[in-house]
């Protein structure tokens, strides 16, 4: 968000460095974080926790803002698998 406010640009390929580092490296942190959160939910016997929804929402926001198309498609498929699996 700081990068967006500083530059004022939210267009296509405008944000190179985002919350999780470079936009093309986001999947290295985001997807394992979501999976780990889901595993912790499973161990606690919960269907879905606030932390899982928060991590997924943050990742979704970053990937749509920075527009990392492949990572966004992977994240949406992961969300679909989460919904079907629950």
């Amino acid at each position: 968000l700081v990068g967006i406010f500083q530059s004022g640009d939210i267009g296509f390929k405008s944000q190179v460095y985002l919350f999780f580092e470079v936009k093309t490296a986001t999947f290295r942190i985001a997807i394992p974080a979501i999976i780990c959160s889901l595993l912790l939910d499973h161990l606690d016997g919960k269907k879905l926790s606030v932390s899982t929804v928060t991590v997924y929402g943050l990742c979704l926001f970053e990937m749509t803002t920075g527009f990392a198309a492949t990572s966004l498609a992977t994240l949406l498929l992961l969300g679909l698998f989460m919904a079907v699996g629950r």
Side-chain angles (χ1 to χ4, degrees), residues 3-4 33 43 49 54 57:
I4 293 170
L43 288 174
S49 68
T54 303

Side-chain angles (χ1 to χ4, degrees), residues 4-83:
I4 293 170
F5 290 131
Q6 284 177 346
S7 68
D9 190 10
I10 196 167
F12 182 70
K13 292 187 179 182
S14 62
Q15 305 299 320
V16 178
Y17 295 101
L18 296 169
F19 185 72
F20 292 126
E21 193 185 336
V22 180
K23 71 176 186 173
T24 55
T26 301
F27 71 94
R28 293 182 191 161
I29 298 170
I31 293 173
I34 294 168
I35 292 172
C36 287
S37 186
L38 285 170
L39 289 173
L40 288 172
D41 290 347
H42 180 72
L43 288 174
D44 290 341
K46 298 178 183 175
K47 286 191 174 187
L48 201 60
S49 68
V50 174
S51 64
T52 303
V53 173
T54 303
V55 169
Y56 187 81
L58 179 65
C59 296
L60 187 64
F61 173 76
E62 179 171 346
M63 289 184 199
T64 54
T65 302
F67 196 70
T70 306
S71 297
L72 181 61
T74 304
L75 185 67
L76 292 175
L77 283 174
L78 182 62
L80 179 68
F81 291 149
M82 285 184 346

